[in-house]
Amino acid sequence: MGSSDRSRLGALLRHLGVEGPTSSSISAFPTSAAHSAFSHLLQAPEDPILGVTVAFNKDPSPVKLNLGVGAYRTEEGKPLVLNVVRRAEQQLVNDRSRVKEYLPIVGLAEFNKLSAKLIFGADSPAIRENRVTTVQCLSGTGSLRVGGEFLGRHYHQRIIYIPLPTWGNHPKVFTLAGLSVKTYRYYDPATRGLNFQGLLEDLGTAPSGAIVLLHACAHNPTGVDPTLEQWEQIRQLMRSKGLLPFFDSAYQGFASGNLDADAQSVRMFVADGGECLVAQSYAKNMGLYGERVGALSIVCNTADVAGRVESQLKLVIRPMYSNPPIHGASIVAAILKDRDMYNEWTIELKAMADRIISMRHQLFDALHARGTPGDWSHIIKQIGMFTFTGLNSEQVAFMTKEFHIYMTSDGRISMAGLSSTTVAHLADAIHAAVTHAG
Ligand code: PGU
Protein backbone atom coordinates (compact mmCIF):
# COMPACT_ATOMS: atom_id res chain seq x y z
CA MET A 1 0.00 0.00 0.00
CA GLY A 2 1.49 3.44 -1.00
CA SER A 3 1.60 6.38 1.44
CA SER A 4 -1.21 8.32 -0.32
CA ASP A 5 -3.44 5.20 -0.26
CA ARG A 6 -2.66 4.83 3.39
CA SER A 7 -3.64 8.39 4.24
CA ARG A 8 -6.90 8.07 2.26
CA LEU A 9 -7.69 4.87 4.09
CA GLY A 10 -6.83 6.57 7.38
CA ALA A 11 -9.25 9.43 6.57
CA LEU A 12 -11.99 6.96 5.71
CA LEU A 13 -11.45 5.03 8.92
CA ARG A 14 -11.44 8.22 11.00
CA HIS A 15 -14.68 9.22 9.27
CA LEU A 16 -16.11 5.88 10.33
CA GLY A 17 -14.91 6.44 13.87
CA VAL A 18 -12.16 3.85 13.63
CA GLU A 19 -8.50 4.49 14.39
CA GLY A 20 -6.45 4.61 11.16
CA PRO A 21 -3.52 2.32 10.46
CA THR A 22 -0.09 3.55 11.50
CA SER A 23 2.71 3.42 8.95
CA SER A 24 3.91 0.21 10.58
CA SER A 25 0.54 -1.53 10.49
CA ILE A 26 -0.20 -4.32 8.06
CA SER A 27 -2.59 -4.11 5.13
CA ALA A 28 -5.62 -5.76 6.82
CA PHE A 29 -8.27 -3.65 8.56
CA PRO A 30 -7.58 -3.34 12.26
CA THR A 31 -10.29 -4.67 14.54
CA SER A 32 -11.76 -2.31 17.06
CA ALA A 33 -14.10 -2.67 20.02
CA ALA A 34 -16.19 0.17 18.59
CA HIS A 35 -16.87 -1.70 15.36
CA SER A 36 -17.72 -5.32 15.78
CA ALA A 37 -18.48 -7.29 12.65
CA PHE A 38 -21.72 -8.16 14.49
CA SER A 39 -22.70 -4.73 15.80
CA HIS A 40 -25.85 -4.76 13.66
CA LEU A 41 -27.26 -7.75 15.52
CA LEU A 42 -30.37 -7.36 17.61
CA GLN A 43 -30.74 -9.21 20.88
CA ALA A 44 -32.70 -12.37 20.05
CA PRO A 45 -35.54 -13.41 22.33
CA GLU A 46 -35.11 -16.46 24.55
CA ASP A 47 -36.59 -19.72 23.30
CA PRO A 48 -40.29 -19.92 24.30
CA ILE A 49 -39.73 -23.24 26.11
CA LEU A 50 -36.07 -23.42 27.14
CA GLY A 51 -36.16 -19.69 28.01
CA VAL A 52 -38.66 -20.48 30.79
CA THR A 53 -35.88 -22.37 32.60
CA VAL A 54 -33.53 -19.40 32.10
CA ALA A 55 -36.06 -17.10 33.81
CA PHE A 56 -36.75 -19.69 36.52
CA ASN A 57 -33.03 -19.99 37.34
CA LYS A 58 -32.82 -16.21 37.89
CA ASP A 59 -35.70 -16.17 40.41
CA PRO A 60 -34.42 -16.28 44.02
CA SER A 61 -37.83 -17.22 45.50
CA PRO A 62 -37.78 -20.39 47.64
CA VAL A 63 -41.28 -21.36 46.47
CA LYS A 64 -40.52 -21.10 42.76
CA LEU A 65 -41.73 -23.94 40.56
CA ASN A 66 -40.65 -24.77 37.01
CA LEU A 67 -43.47 -26.33 34.99
CA GLY A 68 -42.08 -25.11 31.68
CA VAL A 69 -39.77 -27.66 30.11
CA GLY A 70 -41.04 -31.20 29.64
CA ALA A 71 -38.55 -32.94 31.87
CA TYR A 72 -39.45 -35.53 34.49
CA ARG A 73 -38.95 -34.70 38.17
CA THR A 74 -39.28 -36.93 41.22
CA GLU A 75 -41.68 -36.32 44.10
CA GLU A 76 -38.79 -34.38 45.62
CA GLY A 77 -38.64 -32.17 42.53
CA LYS A 78 -35.29 -33.60 41.42
CA PRO A 79 -34.20 -34.85 37.98
CA LEU A 80 -34.26 -38.64 37.76
CA VAL A 81 -31.58 -40.93 36.38
CA LEU A 82 -33.25 -44.30 35.95
CA ASN A 83 -31.75 -47.13 37.96
CA VAL A 84 -31.54 -49.25 34.83
CA VAL A 85 -29.57 -46.48 33.11
CA ARG A 86 -27.08 -46.41 36.01
CA ARG A 87 -26.76 -50.19 35.68
CA ALA A 88 -26.15 -50.00 31.95
CA GLU A 89 -23.57 -47.25 32.41
CA GLN A 90 -21.75 -49.28 35.04
CA GLN A 91 -21.68 -52.23 32.70
CA LEU A 92 -20.26 -50.06 29.92
CA VAL A 93 -17.57 -48.59 32.18
CA ASN A 94 -16.53 -52.04 33.39
CA ASP A 95 -16.17 -53.36 29.85
CA ARG A 96 -12.48 -52.67 29.08
CA SER A 97 -12.91 -53.79 25.49
CA ARG A 98 -14.99 -50.69 24.74
CA VAL A 99 -13.19 -47.96 22.84
CA LYS A 100 -14.00 -44.42 21.75
CA GLU A 101 -13.63 -44.86 18.01
CA TYR A 102 -15.91 -42.95 15.66
CA LEU A 103 -19.24 -44.59 15.03
CA PRO A 104 -20.31 -45.09 11.41
CA ILE A 105 -22.20 -42.15 9.87
CA VAL A 106 -25.51 -43.90 10.60
CA GLY A 107 -24.55 -44.63 14.21
CA LEU A 108 -24.47 -47.79 16.28
CA ALA A 109 -25.92 -50.66 14.21
CA GLU A 110 -27.27 -52.54 17.22
CA PHE A 111 -28.97 -49.41 18.56
CA ASN A 112 -30.62 -48.80 15.20
CA LYS A 113 -31.98 -52.32 14.93
CA LEU A 114 -33.32 -52.31 18.48
CA SER A 115 -34.87 -48.85 18.09
CA ALA A 116 -36.77 -49.96 14.98
CA LYS A 117 -38.00 -53.01 16.88
CA LEU A 118 -39.13 -50.85 19.78
CA ILE A 119 -41.29 -48.56 17.69
CA PHE A 120 -42.50 -50.92 14.95
CA GLY A 121 -42.84 -54.05 17.10
CA ALA A 122 -40.72 -57.20 17.27
CA ASP A 123 -42.82 -58.94 14.61
CA SER A 124 -43.04 -56.03 12.19
CA PRO A 125 -43.19 -57.27 8.57
CA ALA A 126 -41.46 -54.08 7.41
CA ILE A 127 -38.41 -54.97 9.53
CA ARG A 128 -38.50 -58.61 8.46
CA GLU A 129 -38.59 -57.57 4.82
CA ASN A 130 -35.66 -55.16 5.33
CA ARG A 131 -37.80 -52.24 4.21
CA VAL A 132 -36.78 -50.04 7.14
CA THR A 133 -33.67 -47.94 7.31
CA THR A 134 -32.80 -46.52 10.72
CA VAL A 135 -30.11 -43.97 11.50
CA GLN A 136 -29.02 -42.84 14.95
CA CYS A 137 -29.52 -39.10 15.36
CA LEU A 138 -29.21 -36.40 18.00
CA SER A 139 -32.35 -37.13 20.00
CA GLY A 140 -35.80 -36.30 18.68
CA THR A 141 -34.86 -32.88 17.34
CA GLY A 142 -31.90 -34.19 15.37
CA SER A 143 -34.00 -37.02 13.95
CA LEU A 144 -36.67 -34.57 12.79
CA ARG A 145 -34.04 -32.34 11.26
CA VAL A 146 -32.26 -35.13 9.38
CA GLY A 147 -35.64 -36.38 8.14
CA GLY A 148 -36.61 -32.85 7.11
CA GLU A 149 -33.32 -32.27 5.28
CA PHE A 150 -33.68 -35.59 3.48
CA LEU A 151 -37.23 -34.77 2.37
CA GLY A 152 -36.21 -31.25 1.35
CA ARG A 153 -33.61 -32.75 -0.97
CA HIS A 154 -35.28 -35.86 -2.28
CA TYR A 155 -39.05 -35.73 -1.93
CA HIS A 156 -41.12 -34.25 -4.73
CA GLN A 157 -43.59 -32.42 -2.46
CA ARG A 158 -41.92 -29.91 -0.13
CA ILE A 159 -45.02 -28.96 1.85
CA ILE A 160 -45.31 -30.25 5.40
CA TYR A 161 -48.50 -29.94 7.44
CA ILE A 162 -48.03 -29.64 11.19
CA PRO A 163 -50.82 -29.65 13.78
CA LEU A 164 -52.15 -26.40 15.24
CA PRO A 165 -50.82 -26.05 17.87
CA THR A 166 -47.67 -28.14 18.01
CA TRP A 167 -44.27 -28.24 19.68
CA GLY A 168 -42.77 -24.78 19.04
CA ASN A 169 -39.62 -26.09 17.42
CA HIS A 170 -41.40 -27.99 14.63
CA PRO A 171 -41.95 -25.03 12.28
CA LYS A 172 -38.35 -23.86 12.75
CA VAL A 173 -36.82 -27.29 12.17
CA PHE A 174 -38.77 -27.92 8.98
CA THR A 175 -38.48 -24.42 7.56
CA LEU A 176 -34.70 -24.52 7.94
CA ALA A 177 -34.70 -27.97 6.33
CA GLY A 178 -36.12 -26.28 3.23
CA LEU A 179 -39.75 -27.36 3.59
CA SER A 180 -42.74 -25.11 3.37
CA VAL A 181 -44.73 -25.36 6.60
CA LYS A 182 -48.52 -25.28 6.72
CA THR A 183 -50.85 -26.16 9.58
CA TYR A 184 -53.86 -28.42 9.97
CA ARG A 185 -56.54 -27.89 12.62
CA TYR A 186 -56.01 -30.13 15.62
CA TYR A 187 -57.19 -28.66 18.91
CA ASP A 188 -60.58 -27.20 19.68
CA PRO A 189 -60.33 -24.69 22.56
CA ALA A 190 -64.11 -24.83 23.06
CA THR A 191 -64.13 -28.55 23.90
CA ARG A 192 -60.48 -28.73 24.97
CA GLY A 193 -60.40 -31.82 22.77
CA LEU A 194 -59.58 -32.85 19.22
CA ASN A 195 -61.02 -30.86 16.34
CA PHE A 196 -61.41 -34.04 14.35
CA GLN A 197 -63.67 -32.56 11.69
CA GLY A 198 -61.25 -29.69 11.11
CA LEU A 199 -58.34 -32.10 10.93
CA LEU A 200 -60.07 -34.25 8.30
CA GLU A 201 -61.07 -31.20 6.27
CA ASP A 202 -57.57 -29.72 6.28
CA LEU A 203 -55.82 -32.97 5.40
CA GLY A 204 -58.57 -33.62 2.84
CA THR A 205 -57.72 -30.38 1.02
CA ALA A 206 -53.94 -30.74 1.33
CA PRO A 207 -52.15 -31.12 -1.99
CA SER A 208 -51.56 -34.73 -2.95
CA GLY A 209 -48.26 -36.07 -1.67
CA ALA A 210 -47.88 -33.44 1.07
CA ILE A 211 -45.96 -34.49 4.18
CA VAL A 212 -47.99 -34.62 7.42
CA LEU A 213 -46.34 -34.39 10.82
CA LEU A 214 -48.18 -36.53 13.36
CA HIS A 215 -47.45 -36.84 17.09
CA ALA A 216 -47.30 -40.60 17.66
CA CYS A 217 -48.80 -40.19 21.15
CA ALA A 218 -49.10 -37.69 24.00
CA HIS A 219 -49.52 -34.68 21.70
CA ASN A 220 -47.44 -31.70 22.81
CA PRO A 221 -48.70 -29.22 23.99
CA THR A 222 -52.37 -30.27 24.13
CA GLY A 223 -52.24 -33.76 25.68
CA VAL A 224 -55.04 -34.66 23.24
CA ASP A 225 -54.63 -37.75 21.05
CA PRO A 226 -56.97 -39.22 18.43
CA THR A 227 -58.70 -42.46 19.44
CA LEU A 228 -57.67 -45.63 17.59
CA GLU A 229 -60.83 -45.33 15.44
CA GLN A 230 -59.92 -41.76 14.58
CA TRP A 231 -56.34 -42.80 13.77
CA GLU A 232 -57.78 -45.37 11.40
CA GLN A 233 -59.82 -42.70 9.64
CA ILE A 234 -56.77 -40.44 9.43
CA ARG A 235 -54.77 -43.32 7.97
CA GLN A 236 -57.39 -44.06 5.32
CA LEU A 237 -57.65 -40.43 4.31
CA MET A 238 -53.88 -39.95 4.16
CA ARG A 239 -53.26 -43.09 2.18
CA SER A 240 -56.08 -42.30 -0.26
CA LYS A 241 -54.48 -38.91 -0.96
CA GLY A 242 -50.91 -40.16 -1.00
CA LEU A 243 -49.97 -37.93 1.98
CA LEU A 244 -46.64 -38.93 3.53
CA PRO A 245 -46.76 -39.51 7.32
CA PHE A 246 -43.86 -38.23 9.40
CA PHE A 247 -44.33 -39.38 13.01
CA ASP A 248 -42.72 -37.59 15.90
CA SER A 249 -42.43 -40.14 18.72
CA ALA A 250 -40.98 -38.26 21.69
CA TYR A 251 -43.11 -39.88 24.41
CA GLN A 252 -43.39 -43.63 23.73
CA GLY A 253 -44.33 -45.18 27.07
CA PHE A 254 -45.21 -41.87 28.69
CA ALA A 255 -48.81 -41.63 27.51
CA SER A 256 -50.15 -44.92 28.81
CA GLY A 257 -47.15 -46.36 30.63
CA ASN A 258 -47.08 -49.09 27.95
CA LEU A 259 -44.54 -48.99 25.10
CA ASP A 260 -46.64 -51.04 22.68
CA ALA A 261 -49.88 -49.16 23.31
CA ASP A 262 -48.12 -45.84 22.66
CA ALA A 263 -46.76 -47.10 19.32
CA GLN A 264 -50.19 -48.16 18.00
CA SER A 265 -50.65 -45.17 15.70
CA VAL A 266 -47.29 -45.75 14.01
CA ARG A 267 -47.83 -49.49 13.69
CA MET A 268 -51.22 -48.93 12.08
CA PHE A 269 -49.59 -46.94 9.28
CA VAL A 270 -46.79 -49.48 8.84
CA ALA A 271 -49.20 -52.42 8.77
CA ASP A 272 -50.80 -51.20 5.54
CA GLY A 273 -47.50 -51.60 3.70
CA GLY A 274 -47.18 -47.88 2.92
CA GLU A 275 -44.20 -45.64 3.54
CA CYS A 276 -43.56 -43.31 6.47
CA LEU A 277 -40.90 -41.60 8.55
CA VAL A 278 -40.53 -41.83 12.31
CA ALA A 279 -38.38 -39.69 14.60
CA GLN A 280 -37.76 -41.34 17.99
CA SER A 281 -36.40 -39.74 21.14
CA TYR A 282 -35.05 -41.43 24.26
CA ALA A 283 -34.94 -38.12 26.14
CA LYS A 284 -38.12 -38.71 28.13
CA ASN A 285 -38.75 -42.44 28.20
CA MET A 286 -35.21 -43.30 29.29
CA GLY A 287 -34.49 -39.95 30.90
CA LEU A 288 -31.52 -39.45 28.57
CA TYR A 289 -32.27 -35.78 27.84
CA GLY A 290 -28.72 -34.46 27.68
CA GLU A 291 -27.24 -37.55 26.04
CA ARG A 292 -29.05 -36.57 22.83
CA VAL A 293 -30.00 -40.03 21.69
CA GLY A 294 -32.68 -40.77 19.13
CA ALA A 295 -33.31 -42.37 15.78
CA LEU A 296 -34.85 -41.63 12.41
CA SER A 297 -36.47 -44.56 10.62
CA ILE A 298 -37.77 -44.47 7.09
CA VAL A 299 -40.10 -47.28 6.12
CA CYS A 300 -39.93 -47.88 2.38
CA ASN A 301 -41.83 -49.96 -0.16
CA THR A 302 -38.96 -52.30 -0.87
CA ALA A 303 -35.60 -53.30 0.61
CA ASP A 304 -33.91 -51.96 -2.49
CA VAL A 305 -35.37 -48.47 -1.99
CA ALA A 306 -34.52 -48.59 1.72
CA GLY A 307 -30.88 -49.24 0.87
CA ARG A 308 -30.73 -46.28 -1.48
CA VAL A 309 -32.54 -44.06 1.04
CA GLU A 310 -29.92 -44.95 3.65
CA SER A 311 -27.09 -44.11 1.27
CA GLN A 312 -28.62 -40.64 0.80
CA LEU A 313 -29.22 -40.15 4.53
CA LYS A 314 -25.47 -40.60 4.98
CA LEU A 315 -24.88 -37.72 2.59
CA VAL A 316 -27.23 -35.57 4.69
CA ILE A 317 -25.55 -36.47 7.98
CA ARG A 318 -21.86 -36.40 7.05
CA PRO A 319 -21.54 -32.64 6.45
CA MET A 320 -23.83 -31.79 9.42
CA TYR A 321 -22.11 -33.59 12.30
CA SER A 322 -20.24 -36.45 10.62
CA ASN A 323 -21.44 -39.20 12.94
CA PRO A 324 -23.39 -39.37 16.20
CA PRO A 325 -22.11 -39.73 19.78
CA ILE A 326 -21.48 -43.19 21.19
CA HIS A 327 -22.40 -43.08 24.87
CA GLY A 328 -26.18 -42.60 24.91
CA ALA A 329 -26.75 -45.07 22.10
CA SER A 330 -24.66 -47.66 23.94
CA ILE A 331 -26.80 -47.22 27.05
CA VAL A 332 -30.01 -47.67 25.07
CA ALA A 333 -28.67 -50.72 23.22
CA ALA A 334 -27.50 -52.34 26.49
CA ILE A 335 -30.99 -51.92 27.97
CA LEU A 336 -32.99 -52.95 24.92
CA LYS A 337 -31.02 -56.11 24.22
CA ASP A 338 -31.05 -57.52 27.75
CA ARG A 339 -34.37 -59.02 28.82
CA ASP A 340 -33.80 -58.31 32.50
CA MET A 341 -32.78 -54.70 32.00
CA TYR A 342 -35.58 -54.16 29.49
CA ASN A 343 -38.10 -55.35 32.08
CA GLU A 344 -36.60 -53.11 34.73
CA TRP A 345 -36.89 -50.19 32.29
CA THR A 346 -40.58 -50.85 31.60
CA ILE A 347 -41.28 -50.88 35.35
CA GLU A 348 -39.45 -47.58 35.90
CA LEU A 349 -41.16 -46.07 32.86
CA LYS A 350 -44.58 -47.13 34.13
CA ALA A 351 -43.78 -45.59 37.51
CA MET A 352 -42.98 -42.24 35.83
CA ALA A 353 -46.18 -42.37 33.76
CA ASP A 354 -48.23 -43.31 36.85
CA ARG A 355 -46.78 -40.48 38.90
CA ILE A 356 -47.78 -38.02 36.19
CA ILE A 357 -51.31 -39.47 36.07
CA SER A 358 -51.54 -39.22 39.85
CA MET A 359 -50.52 -35.54 39.62
CA ARG A 360 -53.40 -34.96 37.21
CA HIS A 361 -55.84 -36.31 39.78
CA GLN A 362 -54.29 -34.38 42.64
CA LEU A 363 -54.40 -31.11 40.73
CA PHE A 364 -57.98 -31.70 39.61
CA ASP A 365 -59.03 -32.51 43.20
CA ALA A 366 -57.23 -29.45 44.56
CA LEU A 367 -59.05 -27.13 42.13
CA HIS A 368 -62.33 -28.84 42.88
CA ALA A 369 -61.74 -28.37 46.63
CA ARG A 370 -61.10 -24.65 46.08
CA GLY A 371 -64.25 -24.28 44.01
CA THR A 372 -62.18 -22.79 41.20
CA PRO A 373 -64.59 -21.60 38.49
CA GLY A 374 -64.58 -23.60 35.27
CA ASP A 375 -64.56 -27.20 34.12
CA TRP A 376 -61.15 -28.71 34.85
CA SER A 377 -61.91 -32.28 33.77
CA HIS A 378 -59.46 -31.88 30.85
CA ILE A 379 -56.63 -32.10 33.40
CA ILE A 380 -57.60 -35.74 33.93
CA LYS A 381 -58.57 -36.48 30.35
CA GLN A 382 -55.39 -35.20 28.69
CA ILE A 383 -52.50 -37.57 28.15
CA GLY A 384 -48.73 -37.50 28.58
CA MET A 385 -46.41 -34.99 30.13
CA PHE A 386 -48.46 -31.85 29.66
CA THR A 387 -51.75 -30.29 30.58
CA PHE A 388 -52.97 -27.60 28.23
CA THR A 389 -54.76 -25.67 30.93
CA GLY A 390 -56.61 -23.08 28.87
CA LEU A 391 -55.03 -20.30 30.96
CA ASN A 392 -54.20 -17.27 28.82
CA SER A 393 -50.88 -15.44 28.65
CA GLU A 394 -52.00 -12.72 31.14
CA GLN A 395 -53.01 -15.38 33.65
CA VAL A 396 -49.68 -17.16 33.12
CA ALA A 397 -47.78 -13.87 33.65
CA PHE A 398 -49.81 -13.29 36.83
CA MET A 399 -48.95 -16.74 38.17
CA THR A 400 -45.27 -16.19 37.47
CA LYS A 401 -45.24 -12.73 39.05
CA GLU A 402 -47.34 -13.50 42.12
CA PHE A 403 -46.63 -17.19 42.71
CA HIS A 404 -43.22 -17.76 41.04
CA ILE A 405 -44.72 -20.51 38.91
CA TYR A 406 -43.01 -20.81 35.54
CA MET A 407 -44.76 -22.23 32.49
CA THR A 408 -44.98 -21.54 28.77
CA SER A 409 -47.16 -18.57 27.86
CA ASP A 410 -49.65 -20.77 25.98
CA GLY A 411 -50.84 -22.12 29.33
CA ARG A 412 -49.09 -25.48 29.06
CA ILE A 413 -47.86 -27.01 32.30
CA SER A 414 -45.49 -29.93 32.60
CA MET A 415 -47.26 -32.33 34.97
CA ALA A 416 -43.94 -34.12 35.39
CA GLY A 417 -42.59 -31.05 37.18
CA LEU A 418 -45.31 -31.20 39.83
CA SER A 419 -45.29 -33.15 43.11
CA SER A 420 -47.68 -33.79 46.00
CA THR A 421 -45.96 -31.03 47.95
CA THR A 422 -46.28 -28.37 45.23
CA VAL A 423 -49.75 -29.15 43.92
CA ALA A 424 -51.48 -26.93 46.50
CA HIS A 425 -49.30 -23.97 45.54
CA LEU A 426 -50.18 -24.48 41.86
CA ALA A 427 -53.89 -24.84 42.65
CA ASP A 428 -53.79 -21.61 44.70
CA ALA A 429 -52.10 -19.86 41.78
CA ILE A 430 -54.59 -21.12 39.19
CA HIS A 431 -57.49 -20.23 41.48
CA ALA A 432 -56.16 -16.70 41.96
CA ALA A 433 -55.42 -16.34 38.23
CA VAL A 434 -58.93 -17.28 37.11
CA THR A 435 -60.68 -15.32 39.84
CA HIS A 436 -58.54 -12.15 39.88
CA ALA A 437 -56.44 -11.89 36.71
CA GLY A 438 -57.03 -11.56 32.92
N1 PGU B 1 -40.82 -33.61 19.68
C1 PGU B 1 -41.68 -33.25 20.63
C2 PGU B 1 -43.13 -33.39 20.39
C3 PGU B 1 -41.18 -32.77 21.85
O1 PGU B 1 -42.05 -32.42 22.80
C4 PGU B 1 -39.80 -32.64 22.05
C5 PGU B 1 -39.23 -32.10 23.33
C6 PGU B 1 -38.96 -33.06 21.02
C7 PGU B 1 -39.50 -33.54 19.84
C8 PGU B 1 -37.46 -33.00 21.09
O2 PGU B 1 -36.90 -33.63 22.14
P1 PGU B 1 -35.38 -34.07 22.16
O3 PGU B 1 -34.87 -33.61 23.46
O4 PGU B 1 -34.68 -33.43 21.01
O5 PGU B 1 -35.44 -35.55 22.02
N2 PGU B 1 -39.99 -31.10 23.95
C9 PGU B 1 -39.83 -30.78 25.35
C10 PGU B 1 -38.39 -30.52 25.75
C11 PGU B 1 -37.86 -29.14 25.64
C12 PGU B 1 -37.70 -28.68 24.21
O6 PGU B 1 -38.52 -27.89 23.79
O7 PGU B 1 -36.76 -29.17 23.53
C13 PGU B 1 -40.80 -29.67 25.69
O8 PGU B 1 -40.77 -29.18 26.82
O9 PGU B 1 -41.65 -29.35 24.84
Side-chain angles (χ1 to χ4, degrees), residues 21-37:
T22 62
S23 55
S24 63
S25 71
I26 27 75
S27 56
F29 283 100
T31 54
S32 148
H35 264 262
S36 163

Side-chain angles (χ1 to χ4, degrees), residues 33-88:
H35 264 262
S36 163
F38 308 110
S39 55
H40 58 290
L41 292 190
L42 301 174
Q43 182 69 34
E46 288 286 358
D47 181 81
I49 298 174
L50 300 183
V52 174
T53 302
V54 175
F56 170 81
N57 288 339
K58 286 186 191 152
D59 186 338
S61 166
V63 299
K64 67 179 178 176
L65 185 57
N66 187 2
L67 304 177
V69 67
Y72 186 81
R73 297 286 177 264
T74 62
E75 264 291 292
E76 293 72 43
K78 298 272 184 301
L80 177 69
V81 179
L82 299 186
N83 195 48
V84 71
V85 167
R86 295 258 191 238
R87 261 178 82 193

Side-chain angles (χ1 to χ4, degrees), residues 49-50 68-70 138-142 144 167 170 215 220 248 250-251 281 283-284 289 292 386 412:
I49 298 174
L50 300 183
V69 67
L138 277 76
S139 213
T141 309
L144 291 165
W167 179 49
H170 278 148
H215 294 227
N220 176 9
D248 181 352
Y251 299 94
S281 168
K284 328 281 163 142
Y289 306 89
R292 312 306 297 145
F386 305 107
R412 183 191 87 165

Side-chain angles (χ1 to χ4, degrees), residues 230-250:
Q230 288 169 332
W231 272 120
E232 175 53 22
Q233 269 180 272
I234 296 169
R235 187 194 67 75
Q236 284 177 16
L237 171 68
M238 285 183 58
R239 291 310 194 197
S240 74
K241 293 206 58 183
L243 304 175
L244 182 65
F246 191 161
F247 282 97
D248 181 352
S249 177

Side-chain angles (χ1 to χ4, degrees), residues 27-169:
S27 56
F29 283 100
T31 54
S32 148
H35 264 262
S36 163
F38 308 110
S39 55
H40 58 290
L41 292 190
L42 301 174
Q43 182 69 34
E46 288 286 358
D47 181 81
I49 298 174
L50 300 183
V52 174
T53 302
V54 175
F56 170 81
N57 288 339
K58 286 186 191 152
D59 186 338
S61 166
V63 299
K64 67 179 178 176
L65 185 57
N66 187 2
L67 304 177
V69 67
Y72 186 81
R73 297 286 177 264
T74 62
E75 264 291 292
E76 293 72 43
K78 298 272 184 301
L80 177 69
V81 179
L82 299 186
N83 195 48
V84 71
V85 167
R86 295 258 191 238
R87 261 178 82 193
E89 285 190 309
Q90 201 55 59
Q91 187 179 300
L92 295 173
V93 168
N94 291 344
D95 181 355
R96 303 293 298 179
S97 72
R98 286 178 49 78
V99 290
K100 304 283 187 193
E101 290 293 280
Y102 290 127
L103 285 180
I105 296 172
V106 296
L108 195 65
E110 195 175 38
F111 165 86
N112 289 336
K113 257 181 85 178
L114 292 161
S115 293
K117 222 171 100 177
L118 184 70
I119 188 73
F120 299 121
D123 54 357
S124 165
I127 296 178
R128 209 173 41 240
E129 292 155 14
N130 291 319
R131 292 191 286 110
V132 184
T133 172
T134 305
V135 294
Q136 180 194 330
C137 295
L138 277 76
S139 213
T141 309
S143 308
L144 291 165
R145 182 65 187 263
V146 169
E149 294 280 339
F150 169 82
L151 292 169
R153 260 186 231 188
H154 300 295
Y155 187 57
H156 69 92
Q157 176 58 274
R158 293 198 175 76
I159 299 175
I160 185 164
Y161 280 77
I162 62 174
L164 188 66
T166 192
W167 179 49
N169 216 16

Side-chain angles (χ1 to χ4, degrees), residues 369-430:
R370 281 160 182 75
T372 308
D375 173 7
W376 298 95
S377 58
H378 57 288
I379 296 178
I380 298 172
K381 286 187 210 139
Q382 292 174 359
I383 288 164
M385 244 182 181
F386 305 107
T387 290
F388 206 46
T389 58
L391 295 165
N392 62 36
S393 58
E394 289 83 41
Q395 291 168 327
V396 170
F398 169 84
M399 287 167 60
T400 306
K401 185 162 172 279
E402 303 297 329
F403 289 83
H404 305 274
I405 291 173
Y406 289 79
M407 52 199 276
T408 52
S409 61
D410 58 1
R412 183 191 87 165
I413 55 178
S414 171
M415 298 308 286
L418 204 56
S419 73
S420 308
T421 46
T422 52
V423 87
H425 183 54
L426 175 61
D428 287 343
I430 293 177

